[in-house]
Amino acid sequence: MFAEILRRNMASYTSTTKSKHAFTRQVEEVKTPKSDINALILDYLTVAGYPNAAAKFSTEANLQPQQSTPAIQARQEIRTFIHKGEIENATQALNDLDPSILDEDEPLHFALLRLQLVELIRTCNAQPGGDIGPALEFAQTQLGPKAPRTPQFLEDLEKTMSLLVFDHNNLDPSLAALLQPGLRREVADQVNKAILQRQQQRRDAAIRHLVQMRAWGEDTVRKEGKKDLPARIDLGLDGDDSDRIGSAENGHEPMITT
């Protein structure tokens, strides 16, 4: 079901209007080889970290796996920990996988530590009168020594510590964003890319680059004004179907953004 939804979305730009634009008809006449679509699907499942779906789809499509199932599972486990707010477990799992990643990537290490501080603050503010001691100690011992090394580290730490001062029900949008799932997704994506890079794999799925190229091409053509285009050209990758596949295995956000 997962792969079929993705294949259908990637293969079709069909318009629902009765009178189709000439450009839309031209697009519909292009027949993309099923093998190319299958390769893109497997690439996405592998890079994004869906081990079960990748293994099953590679068998169904008669394609060679791009990465071993245990390797994908290791990345999935770390991402799942981060999505759940279990940052200490994620850090331990990442160090077990390859300790040199955090040793050599200080911004990534700081991002994980900062997210762990956010989760400690979230916990201590979950009930009135919560103990802020663990959060303060963690900030002083883990983040304090690193923060002065760059202005960005210092700014991020100061902003995070503000969560201890202000009411979480009435936060400035920039502070409220720290408590939203988006920060977990951002850090999880950074970690996933760092692991892939260490393993000498591409950091992003090929389909992401294709979508970006397509967006650039449309923007260029519209600015030049030399070709008649529809007012809106749908990618066919958003809507109900893509929302459903986004959480199939490990709680990812919708799959494609430009």
Side-chain angles (χ1 to χ4, degrees):
M1 181 63 179
F2 182 99
E4 183 58 33
I5 292 172
L6 189 55
R7 182 189 291 115
R8 187 171 66 251
N9 283 338
M10 292 170 58
S12 175
Y13 286 93
T14 303
S15 170
T16 58
T17 58
K18 292 182 179 180
S19 179
K20 295 180 180 178
H21 193 281
F23 178 84
T24 303
R25 292 196 297 270
Q26 286 180 320
V27 170
E28 292 176 350
E29 290 172 0
V30 176
K31 303 301 181 183
T32 304
K34 185 176 181 180
S35 59
D36 290 351
I37 295 176
N38 286 345
L40 281 174
I41 293 173
L42 180 59
D43 178 78
Y44 171 75
L45 296 175
T46 300
V47 173
Y50 294 101
N52 297 333
K56 183 177 181 180
F57 185 77
S58 64
T59 300
E60 292 177 350
N62 195 27
L63 293 171
Q64 282 291 111
Q66 296 182 352
Q67 197 174 26
S68 68
T69 297
I72 304 174
Q73 287 175 334
R75 287 190 286 116
Q76 182 198 37
E77 179 186 37
I78 294 168
R79 294 193 68 156
T80 300
F81 278 139
I82 298 174
H83 285 305
K84 293 166 63 177
E86 299 176 12
I87 312 306
E88 186 174 2
N89 289 337
T91 302
Q92 182 61 55
L94 180 56
N95 283 327
D96 289 343
L97 179 66
D98 188 340
S100 66
I101 292 178
L102 293 184
D103 288 342
E104 299 176 11
D105 192 337
E106 191 170 34
L108 180 64
H109 193 189
F110 189 87
L112 274 168
L113 291 173
R114 182 201 187 198
L115 183 56
Q116 188 169 347
L117 175 59
V118 170
E119 300 302 336
L120 287 171
I121 294 174
R122 189 198 309 274
T123 299
C124 75
N125 280 282
Q127 55 186 8
D131 182 13
I132 66 173
L136 287 174
E137 181 180 0
F138 185 83
Q140 291 171 353
T141 60
Q142 300 297 320
L143 289 159
K146 298 178 181 294
R149 296 177 187 175
T150 73
Q152 188 61 56
F153 285 0
L154 188 58
E155 179 184 340
D156 288 345
L157 177 56
E158 290 175 346
K159 183 181 290 186
T160 305
M161 293 302 291
S162 298
L163 295 174
L164 289 170
V165 179
F166 299 109
D167 180 5
H168 287 191
N169 294 319
N170 190 29
L171 289 173
D172 178 85
S174 64
L175 293 180
L178 299 179
L179 298 172
Q180 298 301 314
L183 182 60
R184 292 178 178 176
R185 290 195 296 264
E186 178 184 333
V187 174
D189 188 53
Q190 292 173 1
V191 170
N192 189 58
K193 289 180 178 180
I195 296 172
L196 288 168
Q197 184 173 21
R198 176 65 61 175
Q199 296 172 342
Q200 298 183 328
Q201 303 285 329
R202 281 184 296 99
R203 289 161 53 95
D204 291 300
I207 190 173
R208 183 180 297 275
H209 295 295
L210 289 176
V211 172
Q212 291 171 338
M213 289 173 60
R214 178 257 186 221
W216 172 84
E218 179 184 347
D219 184 61
T220 300
V221 172
R222 289 192 186 279
K223 287 179 179 178
E224 292 177 349
K226 296 180 180 179
K227 186 173 182 63
D228 181 29
L229 295 178
R232 174 182 171 83
I233 304 176
D234 291 328
L235 284 174
L237 294 172
D238 53 2
D240 293 340
D241 285 345
S242 62
D243 289 342
R244 285 196 293 270
I245 67 175
S247 58
E249 278 194 47
N250 55 357
H252 288 181
E253 61 189 333
M255 55 172 265
I256 294 298
T257 58
T258 57

